[in-house]
């Protein structure tokens, strides 16, 4: 039936192309290319999704670290402002004490 040395490929080795692949343009009409294309598309989209997820995870981690750093910075600034406030209160108290002492001296000298 077939010439010697000719072995046709069995038709059962190639699955029918998926319905989603019929609408996509194909640059080649070879059956082996149409079979490899769905596998390549699914493999290329999976790493892309994984890469996007990894990038998102890293971005979220950077955001959380920035937020922690910002909180530490604000807490340090608050601590410095409180220390300055306390120092100013002490100075006011000391100056008020000096003012009272000087007024009492002036009051004694007038009498």
């Amino acid at each position: 039936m077939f010439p010697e040395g000719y072995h046709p490929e069995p038709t059962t080795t190639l699955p029918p192309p998926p319905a989603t692949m019929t609408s996509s343009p194909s640059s080649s009409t070879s059956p082996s290319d149409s079979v490899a294309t769905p596998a390549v598309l699914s493999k290329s989209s999976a790493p892309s999704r994984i890469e996007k997820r990894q990038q998102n995870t890293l971005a979220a981690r950077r955001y959380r670290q920035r937020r922690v750093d910002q909180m530490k910075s604000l807490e340090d600034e608050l601590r410095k402002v409180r220390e300055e406030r306390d120092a100013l209160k002490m100075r006011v108290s000391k100056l008020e004490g000096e003012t009272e002492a000087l007024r009492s001296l002036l009051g004694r000298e007038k009498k």
Side-chain angles (χ1 to χ4, degrees), residues 3 15-16 22 26 29 32 46 57 61 68 80 89 91-92 99:
T22 58
S26 177
T29 58
S32 63
T57 300
R61 190 175 295 160
V68 167
K80 288 176 184 177
K89 280 184 176 181
R91 184 171 178 219
V92 166
T99 303

Side-chain angles (χ1 to χ4, degrees), residues 92-106:
V92 166
S93 177
K94 185 177 180 182
L95 289 174
E96 285 176 345
E98 286 181 24
T99 303
E100 284 299 316
L102 291 172
R103 283 189 181 162
S104 67
L105 283 176
L106 279 174

Side-chain angles (χ1 to χ4, degrees), residues 54-99:
Q54 288 173 342
Q55 288 174 353
N56 183 270
T57 300
L58 293 175
R61 190 175 295 160
R62 285 191 305 267
Y63 170 75
R64 287 190 296 268
Q65 186 60 47
R66 264 196 321 268
R67 196 173 60 197
V68 167
D69 292 343
Q70 185 180 17
M71 285 299 295
K72 285 182 181 179
S73 174
L74 289 172
E75 288 171 351
D76 287 343
E77 186 177 349
L78 178 62
R79 181 185 49 80
K80 288 176 184 177
V81 168
R82 284 181 175 167
E83 287 174 358
E84 183 180 1
R85 179 202 62 193
D86 292 344
L88 288 171
K89 280 184 176 181
M90 291 293 288
R91 184 171 178 219
V92 166
S93 177
K94 185 177 180 182
L95 289 174
E96 285 176 345
E98 286 181 24
T99 303

